[in-house]
Amino acid sequence: MANMPVSEMRLPPHLAHLLAARRLDTAKDVLSLPEVELMAVLDAGLPTARAAVAHVSEAACPPCQTALALLEERVRLGGGGRLPTTLCGLDEALGGGIPMGKLTEVVGPSGIGKTQFCLKLALLAALPEYYGGLDGRVVYIDTESKFSSRRMIEIGQKSFPQIFRQEGLAQKMAGRILVMRLASLADFTKRENEKATTGFRQHPLRWALSFLKSIAEFSRIPVVVTNQVRSQSSDDGYHFSFEVDRKDGNNRAERFDSHLIAALGIQWAHAVTVRLVFESHSGHRFIKMAKSPMSPAVAFPFVVESSGITLLSDEGIDVTGPEITSIRCQGQNVLSR
């Protein structure tokens, strides 16, 4: 409902004209502004600004639904829509694959396999429906210049040889994948924010997050984002009370000092619906479902092959306690316990 046009809200005529004149075209344009900024944009007093917020909120607020109605709708839509990863164990844990209308995050150290995973997802999204794909178009935003057409073709040839043998079909799929190379977050926000209103001022990261969530929700498409990691200091390890009991002594604290954490902070972590952690330790790589509304935390061992990522087992390994939020790259294999 964030992108609902103001022109469709049946607002009082004088208020609708005032918002249109100031290029406040959607509910998000109006509701994302603090009252003081909205007063300045509308060149009006506090009562007018509050009236605008009240009318827009009422018009854009989705109707209430019962749990039964939501369940029936999910069944009707086939589970809400998913992009299968073709990794059977992971797809089962995800309820069918990457959810549509939500943000899915892939986080892990460099070289762990995040790009391989995303290249395969891009191919699957462009794949014809009769081969299990979405038959859709893909926007691949490459902020690190890691997109490789050659590697994508290799994954496609090894994973879907029957498709890549058909003349013209591989080229048709490749033509559906639009690659945008951006140098920075500022470059991204500059391109996407060109039509934003004058009063829409947010931190660039917050704006990008809001934009991606709106795109996913409004277009009912799967949106996958990647996140790097950074070293975790002693203080970083205690965001949650269940992670470490400070009374537990220095030995347990030292266990967490060697861990990595997601580079983007808590605000970003709360915004994503699904968080997949790619980590490695004891000579093995794991995909860990660290956050999901439809599954407990589980991990799957995997390898990277010419066809992309392959699970070594479809049986998820239960992950509990501090290991749910940690990101490991070496050390004791806590998942084997």
Side-chain angles (χ1 to χ4, degrees):
M1 294 296 184
N3 290 300
M4 183 177 184
V6 171
S7 59
E8 298 178 6
M9 295 182 181
R10 298 181 181 179
L11 300 176
H14 73 283
L15 186 55
H17 292 316
L18 194 58
L19 294 175
R22 301 302 189 274
R23 298 184 64 187
L24 297 175
D25 301 320
T26 67
K28 183 173 69 174
D29 293 340
V30 178
L31 300 179
S32 59
L33 293 178
E35 287 183 345
V36 175
E37 290 193 30
L38 187 59
M39 289 167 57
V41 172
L42 295 178
D43 191 22
L46 183 58
T48 301
R50 287 182 172 174
V53 171
H55 282 292
V56 172
S57 297
E58 182 179 359
C61 182
C64 296
Q65 291 180 283
T66 65
L68 177 59
L70 289 173
L71 178 61
E72 291 173 344
E73 181 180 10
R74 181 176 180 181
V75 172
R76 180 176 59 83
L77 296 175
R82 295 289 192 275
L83 169 60
T85 67
T86 69
L87 304 176
C88 295
L90 182 61
D91 281 341
E92 183 177 354
L94 286 168
I98 304 297
M100 297 186 184
K102 310 292 183 182
L103 283 186
T104 298
E105 178 193 45
V106 177
V107 58
S110 179
I112 192 69
K114 301 189 301 296
T115 299
Q116 310 297 320
F117 186 70
C118 291
L119 290 174
K120 184 69 168 286
L121 288 181
L123 279 173
L124 290 167
L127 203 67
E129 290 184 2
Y130 50 84
Y131 283 115
L134 297 183
D135 199 21
R137 297 181 180 274
V138 179
V139 177
Y140 194 111
I141 303 176
D142 182 16
T143 60
E144 299 179 317
S145 297
K146 288 186 176 180
F147 180 88
S148 171
S149 299
R150 179 176 298 179
R151 176 59 176 142
M152 175 172 279
I153 291 173
E154 180 185 21
I155 292 174
Q157 290 174 335
K158 298 293 184 179
S159 301
F160 315 108
Q162 69 278 24
I163 295 177
F164 279 73
R165 281 197 295 264
Q166 296 184 35
E167 183 177 357
L169 187 54
Q171 289 82 351
K172 182 180 179 181
M173 288 175 56
R176 294 174 177 170
I177 302 174
L178 173 65
V179 180
M180 296 175 60
R181 284 208 161 100
L182 306 176
S184 65
L185 177 62
D187 193 6
F188 172 72
T189 56
K190 180 179 178 181
R191 292 196 187 190
E192 303 300 336
N193 203 19
E194 289 178 350
K195 297 183 180 180
T197 62
T198 304
F200 187 67
R201 303 187 188 96
Q202 290 192 26
H203 185 278
L205 179 59
R206 191 178 306 120
W207 188 93
L209 183 59
S210 175
F211 175 78
L212 290 173
K213 285 176 68 69
S214 297
I215 288 292
E217 177 185 346
F218 182 73
S219 302
R220 298 300 302 170
I221 60 173
V223 174
V224 178
V225 296
T226 60
N227 193 352
Q228 296 291 358
V229 296
R230 63 180 177 86
S231 298
Q232 177 179 351
S233 66
S234 298
D235 292 338
D236 287 332
Y238 309 108
H239 287 306
F240 306 103
S241 59
F242 62 79
E243 288 186 329
V244 176
D245 183 357
R246 289 182 182 271
K247 297 179 181 180
D248 214 14
N250 294 329
N251 291 337
R252 194 173 182 189
E254 289 174 0
R255 288 178 58 202
F256 284 83
D257 286 343
S258 62
H259 290 182
L260 302 172
I261 60 174
L264 301 178
I266 295 297
Q267 181 182 16
W268 182 274
H270 286 321
V272 299
T273 301
V274 175
R275 167 174 274 189
L276 301 177
V277 171
F278 280 49
E279 61 181 6
S280 65
H281 48 86
S282 300
H284 300 283
R285 300 185 187 190
F286 295 88
I287 300 177
K288 180 170 63 181
M289 188 177 298
K291 179 183 179 183
S292 169
M294 71 283 293
S295 171
V298 291
F300 300 90
F302 75 92
V303 293
V304 179
E305 300 179 326
S306 59
S307 60
I309 286 178
T310 300
L311 297 185
L312 296 177
S313 172
D314 289 324
E315 296 295 326
I317 305 169
D318 291 336
V319 183
T320 59
E323 282 72 40
I324 294 176
T325 55
S326 66
I327 303 174
R328 295 175 177 269
C329 60
Q330 60 183 0
Q332 179 186 8
N333 186 355
V334 297
L335 297 176
S336 64
R337 293 203 304 260

